[in-house]
Amino acid sequence: MTNKINGRRYVGYSENLEYRFEDNRKVLQNGNFTPKHILLIDDYQQFGEEAFISGILEVTVNNKSLMQQRVNYWKKIIQPEYNQ
């Protein structure tokens, strides 16, 4: 997820992308993301849903351990500000 206004990013993974995108949207609208993601919540509430774009960095087999390894790889490469 990227904030189009300030370029801040969030990297995550999911076994069900459609659910993940919709759930993230609902959670952010309600301000219920985990407290460690307060910067993401604040930006979402300040700039609104239209300021954010979601996308897919990589598609892997549906294996939670592998997906966690790959998300950690992408976090090292991208250094997403919202994951701090």
Side-chain angles (χ1 to χ4, degrees), residues 7-50:
R8 292 179 181 153
R9 296 155 298 185
Y10 171 81
V11 174
Y13 72 92
S14 178
E15 297 175 28
N16 182 333
L17 291 175
E18 191 174 312
Y19 170 80
R20 177 68 182 254
F21 287 149
E22 182 61 22
D23 186 57
N24 279 350
R25 188 178 66 76
K26 287 180 183 177
V27 168
L28 285 166
Q29 286 175 341
N30 295 326
N32 294 332
F33 234 72
T34 61
K36 70 179 186 175
H37 296 110
I38 193 70
L39 183 61
L40 174 57
I41 294 167
D42 288 348
D43 280 0
Y44 191 89
Q45 291 175 348
Q46 178 181 357
F47 300 117
E49 182 177 346
E50 61 280 351

Side-chain angles (χ1 to χ4, degrees), residues 32-79:
N32 294 332
F33 234 72
T34 61
K36 70 179 186 175
H37 296 110
I38 193 70
L39 183 61
L40 174 57
I41 294 167
D42 288 348
D43 280 0
Y44 191 89
Q45 291 175 348
Q46 178 181 357
F47 300 117
E49 182 177 346
E50 61 280 351
F52 289 83
I53 186 168
S54 295
I56 299 169
L57 292 171
E58 180 178 5
V59 176
T60 68
V61 295
N62 197 359
N63 177 291
K64 195 170 191 170
S65 176
L66 175 61
M67 288 188 286
Q68 184 61 56
Q69 289 173 13
R70 297 309 296 163
V71 81
N72 288 337
Y73 166 81
W74 286 109
K75 284 178 182 178
K76 287 179 187 175
I77 297 295
I78 296 172
Q79 299 181 357

